[in-house]
Amino acid sequence: MKTVLVVDDMLFMRMALKSILEKNGFSVIGNAENGVEAVKKYMECAPDLVTMDITMPEMSGLEALKKIKEYDQDAKVIMVSAMGQERFVKEAIMNGANYFIVKPFKEDKVLETLNKVVAW
């Protein structure tokens, strides 16, 4: 079973992703509400995959992505962005993000993306 760290500053988004993932065979081994927590939890949990919101307080998803990639260059990170954040998505991909999901997301799209990244 693949393990996932879910990172989003909105509790309902973390819960929505957790629900989708767990009913489809993933194990959510941690969650974080900002980039600082995300980096710490990544180091503690060593998940197979991270879903990372781009816009968060304290440390953005982009900054957290960079720190996680410094720590583990093989980390698999999927950025989660709102509509209209294309420039951030492009920057995230340039900094090592594996893929991205746009909010509001559909369950099948989330699963398709995660399964694609896990297979790499």
Side-chain angles (χ1 to χ4, degrees):
M1 185 179 290
K2 293 296 181 183
T3 58
V4 184
L5 171 63
V6 176
V7 184
D8 199 297
D9 60 327
M10 307 286 280
L11 176 62
F12 80 92
M13 284 307 243
R14 292 195 307 270
M15 299 312 289
L17 273 169
K18 181 178 180 175
S19 172
I20 289 170
L21 297 172
E22 288 185 340
K23 75 179 187 190
N24 286 284
F26 290 88
S27 172
V28 176
I29 59 168
N31 67 72
E33 60 185 47
N34 61 55
V36 173
E37 254 184 57
V39 174
K40 185 172 167 253
K41 290 254 175 90
Y42 185 87
M43 292 175 179
E44 288 170 6
C45 302
D48 296 314
L49 204 55
V50 180
T51 63
M52 177 83 69
D53 187 19
I54 289 182
T55 314
M56 295 182 291
E58 289 188 54
M59 181 191 289
S60 73
L62 283 172
E63 288 303 311
L65 166 68
K66 291 174 190 174
K67 292 205 178 303
I68 288 171
K69 284 297 205 171
E70 281 171 19
Y71 173 77
D72 177 6
Q73 67 183 20
D74 296 325
K76 292 183 176 177
V77 181
I78 297 171
M79 303 307 286
V80 181
S81 71
M83 292 292 236
Q85 293 183 321
E86 289 81 4
R87 69 182 186 88
F88 294 121
V89 169
K90 194 179 286 183
E91 188 178 338
I93 299 292
M94 288 168 41
N95 280 285
N98 298 84
Y99 219 84
F100 64 93
I101 299 168
V102 178
K103 296 180 198 175
F105 45 75
K106 290 186 170 51
E107 183 171 331
D108 58 343
K109 185 69 177 155
V110 170
L111 294 171
E112 178 187 317
T113 301
L114 266 72
N115 284 318
K116 193 182 300 179
V117 172
V118 162
W120 290 345

